[in-house]
Amino acid sequence: MAGDAFDALFEAVRVSPDNVPLRRHLADSLLAANRAGEAEHEYRAALKLAPDDDGCAVGLADAFFRQGRHQEGLAVLESRPPAAASPEARLLAARLHLATGAVADARACYLEAVAASPTLADADLADRLGMRAGAAVAGGPTLERDPDLDLDDDLDIDLAVDIELVRSDVTFADVGGMEAVKDEVRIKILDPVQRPELFSAFGKKAGGGILMYGPPGCGKTHLAKATAGELGGPFIAVGLHEILDMWIGQSERKLHDVFERARRNAPSVLFFDEVDALGASRADMHASGGRHLINQFLSELDGVEGDNESVLVLAATNAPWYVDSAFRRPGRFDQILFVPPPDQAARAAILRILCTGKPVEAVDYDHLAARTDGFSGADLEAVVDRAIEAKLRATMRSGGGVSPLTAKDLAAAARSVTPSTREWFATARNWATHANAGGTYDDVLAWLERRH
Ligand code: ADP
């Protein structure tokens, strides 16, 4: 539709704002012209006037889909009575499910759509769903699972959406401080993989589980990546909130798939961020039947589901108080390590690492470290970033050449960054003081004490 035709339509809607078919026509036209944001606005306005208009609801869901807002799109479709769902709505639901990684649901919706309206068959979508259009038979085309696809291919289709298996080029040399965690990682996986005969003589296997907790931005994820780099094995990172959101209804299988991937590619590092999402005490876990997922996780960790030899499971949380206590049993996350904010020496090391390879004048990192108490590694990264940005801005303004970063630049940037770890300690102090069963948070208390 040409621009002036749109102008005329907008004008018509302005004159008759309550005309639902007119608004719907404008919205459909906008959507067809890929102006999804504006289409969303018009569909919403039409639905306010006519909440039961299914066509507008599907349009709104489509507008969300085109803006990458898949959950919102699904929510719109799921809020309508299923009997009212048109074949087009089912097809859209299939695309939305696929985009969120729920492949089984996507397949079901696609089958329903094509069964009701064979002309909707879409070879490309069918391929992406691991289904191929079969020969046409009386009553319309049938769809079959591709016999060449075994379970593993199925798994790859599902996982390709959200779980990546990556090689890490970060090593321990890139991690400042964190000596206690590095030591634990060495003894659990790096040394046994290097000297299997020595470890097996003592009946020790490579692998196991370490749970790291502490304030955000202090290197838990960074260290997990570095572990994979040291190991030369793949790094598989899983955000648990993501699993819970995206994999509703099939989380257990997905979790199993993730572990299987790590086992097949051992020696490997399987990293679970936000492991507190699995806390049994969380209300949403009860609501979503999360107990099953916790049990699945435990039996994967215990090696009931497969041999975890040479798989190191690292987990991280900023909220250890929500982590299910069953995770603490021996053989699971038997090492639970507090990752404090970097001390002065570690801050100096981190600053040095962050400035490596950049034009920097001789800087007294120890001096700067002394002035950044309470800063996390991520805060220090922000300091260096800001100093660089300020330098670039000044250089662009003066039109001069590259001048190196100075201690003064870094100190000025440090003054502009607020250390982020204090808030965490305020919460942690409460838990450590009032809920320290079994001395779980003794390390936190000791750390707090040392600072006063
Ligand atoms: P966490 O997982 O504890 O929330 P991250 O590992 O994601 O924190 O840290 C955020 C960023 O801060 C990292 O990408 C890294 O650049 C930097 N950083 C944090 N801690 C360290 C450290 N000990 N050594 C080097 N860089 C660090």
Side-chain angles (χ1 to χ4, degrees):
M1 184 182 284
D4 45 2
F6 271 119
D7 290 345
L9 259 180
F10 275 114
E11 178 58 18
V13 167
R14 199 184 62 75
V15 175
S16 319
D18 295 337
N19 184 331
V20 173
L22 186 62
R23 271 199 192 271
R24 162 108 190 254
H25 178 56
L26 171 59
D28 288 347
S29 309
L30 287 166
L31 197 61
N34 260 331
R35 291 164 65 172
E38 291 164 279
E40 176 196 336
H41 180 79
E42 293 305 324
Y43 284 126
R44 279 184 193 278
L47 280 166
K48 261 205 191 109
L49 298 164
D52 295 332
D53 189 319
D54 286 309
C56 283
V58 176
L60 179 60
D62 201 349
F64 281 133
F65 173 62
R66 291 177 200 220
Q67 296 176 77
R69 289 153 64 185
H70 306 126
Q71 295 295 357
E72 286 167 275
L74 280 172
V76 171
L77 292 180
E78 282 162 10
S79 69
R80 323 296 295 182
S86 62
E88 286 75 11
R90 306 309 296 156
L91 188 69
L92 180 58
R95 292 186 197 284
L96 285 162
H97 278 307
L98 179 62
T100 62
V103 181
D105 292 344
R107 284 193 192 119
C109 290
Y110 182 64
L111 279 173
E112 283 171 30
V114 180
S117 178
T119 53
L120 289 180
D122 176 332
D124 182 46
L125 180 58
D127 257 352
R128 287 197 293 142
L129 290 170
M131 307 163 102
R132 213 168 272 167
V137 292
T142 57
L143 287 159
E144 292 159 3
R145 278 296 316 277
D146 182 342
D148 297 340
L149 280 175
D150 62 12
L151 239 176
D152 267 347
D153 289 326
D154 180 22
L155 179 159
D156 282 339
I157 293 167
D158 290 8
L159 292 176
V161 184
D162 31 52
I163 301 298
E164 269 188 280
L165 196 143
V166 293
R167 299 266 153 202
S168 166
D169 51 9
V170 183
T171 66
F172 279 179
D174 303 302
V175 182
M178 302 189 76
E179 293 308 329
V181 194
K182 285 180 186 168
D183 273 352
E184 202 54 47
V185 166
R186 281 194 194 100
I187 198 82
K188 274 207 149 49
I189 189 118
L190 301 180
D191 296 342
V193 163
Q194 241 165 29
R195 303 277 314 271
E197 71 300 333
L198 176 66
F199 279 75
S200 65
F202 287 96
K204 277 294 225 190
K205 285 185 166 187
I210 302 174
L211 172 61
M212 298 175 277
Y213 74 93
C218 290
K220 298 182 288 297
T221 309
H222 195 53
L223 181 115
K225 260 186 222 153
T227 300
E230 290 286 327
L231 196 61
F235 177 64
I236 306 169
V238 188
L240 279 168
H241 281 113
E242 230 166 81
I243 294 200
L244 289 166
D245 284 352
M246 298 173 63
W247 295 352
I248 291 164
Q250 30 176 348
S251 307
E252 286 95 57
R253 214 198 96 212
K254 293 301 173 70
L255 195 62
H256 177 67
D257 292 346
V258 172
F259 269 90
E260 278 299 306
R261 258 196 160 189
R263 290 174 188 129
R264 272 205 307 270
N265 292 286
S268 58
V269 176
L270 187 48
F271 176 63
F272 290 96
D273 203 2
E274 310 170 311
V275 79
D276 49 280
L278 284 181
S281 54
R282 297 186 80 111
D284 46 345
M285 283 305 288
H286 286 297
S288 61
R291 193 71 237 171
H292 294 295
L293 190 58
I294 293 173
N295 289 338
Q296 179 75 32
F297 202 116
L298 295 176
S299 57
E300 298 290 350
L301 281 176
D302 290 344
V304 175
E305 307 281 336
D307 187 1
N308 291 337
E309 171 79 46
S310 299
V311 176
L312 184 71
V313 182
L314 288 174
T317 176
N318 304 333
W321 30 86
Y322 292 132
V323 175
D324 199 285
S325 57
F327 285 170
R328 296 174 200 277
R329 289 218 200 101
R332 291 173 178 167
F333 292 116
D334 42 357
Q335 287 295 330
I336 301 187
L337 300 179
F338 173 46
V339 178
D343 60 16
Q344 187 175 327
R347 290 197 299 277
I350 294 171
L351 285 164
R352 201 170 284 120
I353 290 165
L354 290 169
C355 290
T356 301
K358 304 191 173 105
V360 183
E361 227 176 43
V363 166
D364 182 347
Y365 289 108
D366 292 320
H367 182 69
L368 187 58
R371 295 165 70 172
T372 46
D373 186 42
F375 281 54
S376 69
D379 295 337
L380 295 174
E381 199 175 20
V383 168
V384 175
D385 278 352
R386 280 196 195 182
I388 290 172
E389 271 167 30
K391 194 88 207 167
L392 286 174
R393 224 174 287 129
T395 310
M396 296 303 287
R397 222 178 291 128
S398 70
V402 182
S403 62
L405 219 53
T406 63
K408 223 171 124 205
D409 296 331
L410 288 164
R415 279 193 297 277
S416 75
V417 173
T418 314
S420 66
T421 62
R422 296 202 176 119
E423 203 180 317
W424 187 87
F425 277 102
T427 311
R429 179 191 293 276
N430 279 332
W431 286 92
T433 314
H434 303 296
N436 194 23
T440 313
Y441 302 120
D442 283 354
D443 288 345
V444 177
L445 287 173
W447 196 89
L448 283 166
E449 238 160 59
R450 264 203 308 279
R451 300 182 53 90
H452 289 287

